[in-house]
Amino acid sequence: MYAQMIQSEATAEDPDKLAAFEARIAAGEKIEPKDWMPAGYRKTLIRQIGQHAHSEIVGQLPEGNWITRAPTLERKAILLAKVQDEAGHGLYLYCAAETLGVSRDELTEMLLDGRMKYSSIFNYPTLTWADMGAVGWLVDGAAIMNQVPLQRTSYGPYSRAMIRICKEESFHQRQGYDIMMKMAFGTPAQKRMAQDALNRFWYPALMMFGPSDKESVHSAQSMAWKIKMNTNDELRQKFVDETVPQAEYLGLTVPDPDLKWNEERGHYDFSEPDWSEFFDVLKGNGPCNADRMEARQQAWAEGQWVRDGLMAHARKRAARRVAAE
Ligand code: 3HC
């Protein structure tokens, strides 16, 4: 259905419609599900929103790993709430993608057969409790940096989903920083754990913003359509500028010997992540890619009876409605 829809719209595109669409984008209007849109705009949105939704769902795995081992009841309750929020974010985003004519089943199948991605960051393991702090502080911190501007994205349902998501992401970032404060100002062993978590998550967090602007395939078109509001490098720089003082407050060292404030630019200079590692993770070769995909395959297979039951119920209700009319 998805492929057919993209195909039929591609042939239906005409220059007048395209010009009218681009004028609406330029005027800052929101595009809504029933409005005409170019096939490429729809396709880009499905790719980006779908990838984002999958990231929220797969993102539950590294943190879910620590729910049973949280150090106190309070920390457990907070972590549970955070992981549940991520499931909710996935659902808002799948709903936003569905308004573009792709079903949730199709999106999931595309994830499971490798046609769609999820964020590279979730292919790294969470080895200690301090990683829960680093994930909240850095990973949710990077996610917010990327997602706050997306509240102004041109597609209405995506923009509205982002407004709800960003409110919750701020709480996630704060709870992560709170864990980091406890660890960094705790015993020497706790501080070492906090430093180790920062060492392991710093560069993967920088990679979340995507490849450098020179390598980014989609940025130019996505920014012209206001699907993306900033380039990958702009957001990465903003993240570094805001995060370094937070690391300094914790008394932790960012693992980059070349990190320094550049007075002239008014920004930090910093080392690029190892992009060969990033592309390797995207190809499926990160430390946890296989585990993450296996967990999603298993959840999909084990949920089959629930989906079948719901569909049978829906069909029965529809048949009853038709019979009553
Ligand atoms: N992980 C995996 N793939 C990535 C990636 C990343 N961190 N960054 C880029 N890519 C992929 C792109 O999808 C694209 O591949 P494709 O053509 O096969 O889809 C390729 O690398 C080239 O990158 P581009 O810069 O051209 O791609 P985009 O214009 O799509 O920019 C993006 C990438 C900035 C991530 C953009 O898609 C975006 O802003 N997405 C919305 C935000 C999002 O997905 N966030 C997920 C973060 S995790 C999260 O929110 C969970 C929370 O709980 C922490």
Side-chain angles (χ1 to χ4, degrees):
M1 176 175 102
Y2 165 61
Q4 279 163 4
M5 184 186 63
I6 296 288
Q7 187 58 36
S8 66
E9 205 158 66
T11 49
E13 229 166 76
D14 79 46
D16 290 344
K17 283 183 177 168
L18 191 58
F21 173 83
E22 282 171 355
R24 290 187 65 196
I25 297 276
E29 280 182 42
K30 291 275 179 259
I31 306 301
E32 296 297 338
K34 290 186 178 159
D35 295 346
W36 185 89
M37 61 186 81
Y41 179 83
R42 186 186 298 276
K43 194 173 165 190
T44 301
L45 281 169
I46 290 174
R47 181 184 60 77
Q48 180 167 319
I49 302 174
Q51 172 171 316
H52 193 166
H54 297 324
S55 303
E56 301 282 355
I57 298 299
V58 177
Q60 294 177 100
L61 296 169
E63 289 178 296
N65 176 38
W66 277 92
I67 291 172
T68 54
R69 291 176 287 166
T72 66
L73 184 59
E74 190 190 10
R75 289 288 180 200
K76 188 197 276 273
I78 295 170
L79 187 60
L80 257 176
K82 179 190 188 290
V83 172
Q84 283 176 348
D85 283 352
E86 307 299 359
H89 298 175
L91 298 186
Y92 305 154
L93 288 163
Y94 284 129
C95 287
E98 280 180 315
T99 65
L100 291 155
V102 63
S103 74
R104 200 174 300 191
D105 283 7
E106 283 173 300
L107 289 167
T108 306
E109 279 153 16
M110 285 193 270
L111 170 73
L112 297 183
D113 69 18
R115 278 177 291 156
M116 282 188 97
K117 297 186 168 77
Y118 57 91
S119 181
S120 51
I121 189 71
F122 301 120
N123 294 307
Y124 291 85
T126 45
L127 304 176
T128 72
W129 174 251
D131 289 8
M132 293 302 94
V135 167
W137 172 36
L138 300 174
V139 174
D140 290 82
I144 297 173
M145 199 57 81
N146 168 280
Q147 290 168 21
V148 164
L150 289 179
Q151 294 177 107
R152 291 179 286 114
T153 193
S154 59
Y155 187 56
Y158 190 25
S159 147
R160 290 188 285 275
M162 291 318 308
I163 292 169
R164 294 186 63 165
I165 290 174
C166 282
K167 289 199 174 106
E168 291 172 352
E169 294 289 9
S170 315
F171 147 65
H172 297 172
Q173 199 264 356
R174 286 306 302 266
Q175 68 83 39
Y177 197 67
D178 187 58
I179 294 175
M180 290 307 275
M181 284 202 292
K182 279 278 182 312
M183 305 287 288
F185 300 137
T187 64
Q190 284 175 313
K191 186 167 182 185
R192 277 196 300 278
M193 281 168 73
Q195 181 64 56
D196 173 59
L198 170 57
N199 292 349
R200 284 182 288 105
F201 276 94
W202 176 252
Y203 287 105
L206 295 188
M207 292 175 195
M208 285 176 70
F209 296 96
S212 73
D213 292 352
K214 289 192 295 287
E215 300 276 335
S216 171
V217 187
H218 304 290
S219 283
Q221 182 60 73
S222 290
M223 287 182 65
W225 278 330
K226 297 188 185 161
I227 290 175
K228 271 170 89 162
M229 309 305 286
N230 301 88
T231 72
N232 301 351
D233 285 338
E234 279 168 9
L235 292 175
R236 195 170 5 254
Q237 179 74 63
K238 204 161 184 280
F239 174 76
V240 172
D241 290 347
E242 286 196 15
T243 309
V244 171
Q246 294 168 3
E248 283 168 357
Y249 177 77
L250 294 172
L252 300 179
T253 308
V254 173
D256 178 358
D258 296 326
L259 180 80
K260 60 173 187 309
W261 180 252
N262 183 325
E263 198 60 55
E264 210 174 301
R265 291 199 312 120
H267 293 290
Y268 281 94
D269 290 337
F270 62 97
S271 305
E272 294 274 311
D274 175 353
W275 290 117
S276 62
E277 176 183 319
F278 171 76
F279 288 113
D280 211 31
V281 170
L282 260 53
K283 278 193 218 127
N285 301 325
C288 298
N289 292 63
D291 286 354
R292 303 302 184 227
M293 287 311 293
E294 201 183 307
R296 293 312 307 145
Q297 301 276 8
Q298 189 183 342
W300 186 243
E302 287 177 358
Q304 184 65 51
W305 68 272
V306 181
R307 295 192 298 280
D308 290 347
L310 286 172
M311 288 312 292
H313 180 65
R315 271 194 298 272
K316 211 165 160 187
R317 277 176 64 125
R320 249 193 254 130
R321 229 187 353 257
V322 170
E325 277 168 10

